[in-house]
Amino acid sequence: MKIYTVGGAVRDQLLGLPVKDHDHVVVGATPDDMLRLGFRPVGKDFPVFLHPKTQEEYALARTERKTAPGYRGFVFHTAPDVTLEDDLVRRDLTINAIARAEDGSLTDPFGGIEDIRNKIFRHVSDAFGEDPVRILRLARFAARFDAFTVAPATMALMRKMVLDGEVDALVAERVWQEVAKGLMESHPSRMLTVLHECGALARIMGEIQLTERLLLVIDHAAAQGHDLPVRFAALMLHVSKNAIEQLSERLRVPNECRELAVMAARELDHINGALALSAEAVVGLCERCDGLRKPQRFAQLLQAVACDGLVTGNFAPAARLQGGLDAARAVNAGALAQACAEPKRIPEVIHAARVVAVQTFLAQA
């Protein structure tokens, strides 16, 4: 039995980057061998085990055979006679098909080290074309390693996969998982351009019209360190409310991302024109966006719109609206409700008090 570190851990070490997770492949072993050594089984589709001390994943070397469309249509085979190269050849990219033995020596049968040196994404074999998730993964890697380019043959293969309908067989949750990861990388624009170049973007997120401006905006959101809901909202700012709802339903986008995106697209013009809004209009916007109950989401809303202006410093409309919200929230609604002799007028009285508070803030701003 031999154990190798594989995948991202080897790649990132060769790139001089911090290594976060270690994945291992075990050659020449059976599930019973792993159990005898104290490993705990966790794999459903194929034998994967957790190390008894480190809890890192150890997978038995395996081969796979395509049996149906999509990324779930595979049959896996593990046996002690499956070699390291048999296992590596099924991996997606050459840069992820390098193995490091326990003595530190590297096994690189497909030229991954050279591709790292030349900053190229290249598929290991035609087996890449059997799993459409690999298109999404490559695009996500492009968002992380923005200096890398896609090998022409690999781009051609991805285009063929799209034309063959492989992308249409993707499960919505997996699409969103990969897109969300890509949005959280340092250059999410690269994910979008790779998906666009191979034709996959139109299939999975056809509501988006890719422009140079949009690419700048989404990278700006990343540069500002914004969280996922803000980045998704920035991506959707110029998409119609109905289209955002449609895309979010299809990809099972989490509610916090969907709601913020819909709100930001709806209020984009109002926020950008906030310097001209009256106190009444500011309170109305705060109430419409539920900012009084959810101030953190209101702050995210302002962040998303600021990205559209590529603002790096103070965004004057945001400062005006944030100050207005703070003034409105400072009104003691409970005390006003108790003092109101006519219960039906409570909402009106509270709203009026908030408008006065915002007027005072604006006069002093």
Side-chain angles (χ1 to χ4, degrees):
M1 182 173 74
K2 292 185 178 180
I3 297 175
Y4 300 86
T5 302
V6 294
V10 181
R11 177 199 67 223
D12 290 349
Q13 184 179 49
L14 290 172
L15 283 166
L17 299 173
V19 176
K20 298 178 181 178
D21 301 308
H22 291 84
D23 291 322
H24 308 271
V25 63
V26 183
V27 178
T30 66
D32 286 341
D33 293 332
M34 302 299 286
L35 294 174
R36 277 195 294 271
L37 292 171
F39 286 79
R40 181 163 57 89
V42 294
K44 295 180 180 179
D45 298 323
F46 47 84
V48 176
F49 301 83
L50 295 183
H51 191 281
K53 293 182 179 179
T54 66
Q55 301 304 304
E56 291 178 344
E57 288 191 356
Y58 287 68
L60 295 184
R62 67 183 188 270
T63 60
E64 60 188 32
R65 180 169 54 87
K66 180 79 167 176
T67 59
Y71 80 98
R72 290 179 171 173
F74 291 92
V75 171
F76 298 96
H77 168 70
T78 62
D81 61 350
V82 176
T83 67
L84 176 62
E85 189 164 324
D86 290 336
D87 184 272
L88 293 176
V89 75
R90 68 175 179 78
R91 296 179 182 270
D92 53 3
L93 302 172
T94 60
I95 64 172
N96 295 328
I98 308 167
R100 185 178 67 243
E102 292 177 294
D103 64 3
S105 61
L106 297 176
T107 299
D108 177 27
F110 307 107
I113 295 174
E114 184 69 14
D115 283 341
I116 286 176
R117 187 176 297 116
N118 294 324
K119 296 181 170 52
I120 293 175
F121 295 125
R122 190 190 314 277
H123 62 288
V124 173
S125 71
D126 288 343
F128 182 102
E130 298 176 349
D131 185 357
V133 170
R134 291 179 167 181
I135 292 177
L136 302 178
R137 278 172 51 83
L138 189 154
R140 172 164 61 83
F141 285 137
R144 182 186 307 174
F145 307 119
D146 65 295
F148 277 64
T149 59
V150 182
T154 301
M155 179 58 72
L157 178 56
M158 292 196 296
R159 287 174 179 151
K160 183 178 185 302
M161 293 167 67
V162 173
L163 290 174
D164 290 346
E166 280 286 340
V167 171
D168 301 328
L170 283 167
V171 175
E173 290 86 352
R174 190 60 192 273
V175 174
W176 171 250
Q177 180 184 46
E178 294 295 331
V179 167
K181 287 179 180 178
L183 287 176
M184 292 307 294
E185 297 290 359
S186 58
H187 291 84
S189 65
R190 290 276 286 125
M191 172 182 68
L192 299 175
T193 55
V194 167
L195 292 176
H196 175 70
E197 287 172 17
C198 72
L201 186 65
R203 298 293 185 96
I204 63 175
M205 300 178 76
E207 293 83 356
I208 297 175
Q209 297 297 313
L210 206 61
T211 64
E212 288 298 326
R213 174 75 180 186
L214 179 60
L215 297 177
L216 289 173
V217 167
I218 192 59
D219 278 353
H220 181 76
Q224 298 302 301
H226 291 319
D227 57 18
L228 179 60
V230 174
R231 297 190 193 198
F232 181 68
L235 181 65
M236 295 287 143
L237 274 173
H238 295 282
V239 177
S240 71
K241 173 183 177 297
N242 289 340
I244 295 172
E245 294 280 16
Q246 177 181 310
L247 183 151
S248 298
E249 177 69 22
R250 188 176 68 252
L251 296 187
R252 314 285 173 82
V253 175
N255 285 339
E256 62 175 343
C257 293
R258 175 184 59 81
E259 290 172 0
L260 184 65
V262 169
M263 188 183 303
R266 184 189 71 213
E267 304 295 347
L268 176 63
D269 291 340
H270 295 112
I271 294 172
N272 280 329
L275 298 182
L277 293 181
S278 66
E280 175 72 38
V282 169
V283 173
L285 189 150
C286 292
E287 291 176 341
R288 196 162 61 243
C289 297
D290 204 14
L292 295 156
R293 287 195 317 119
K294 299 180 178 180
Q296 183 177 0
R297 188 178 68 177
F298 192 80
Q300 291 177 315
L301 170 66
L302 300 178
Q303 289 173 345
V305 175
C307 287
D308 190 57
L310 303 175
V311 178
T312 56
N314 179 48
F315 182 43
R320 182 180 178 90
L321 292 174
Q322 187 63 61
L325 175 65
D326 293 342
R329 294 187 76 238
V331 170
N332 191 332
L336 289 173
Q338 287 184 339
C340 187
E342 301 177 51
K344 290 183 179 180
R345 293 192 63 241
I346 290 176
E348 174 189 341
V349 169
I350 293 174
H351 176 83
R354 287 171 175 160
V355 171
V356 171
V358 173
Q359 283 176 332
T360 302
F361 162 73
L362 295 179
Q364 297 172 347

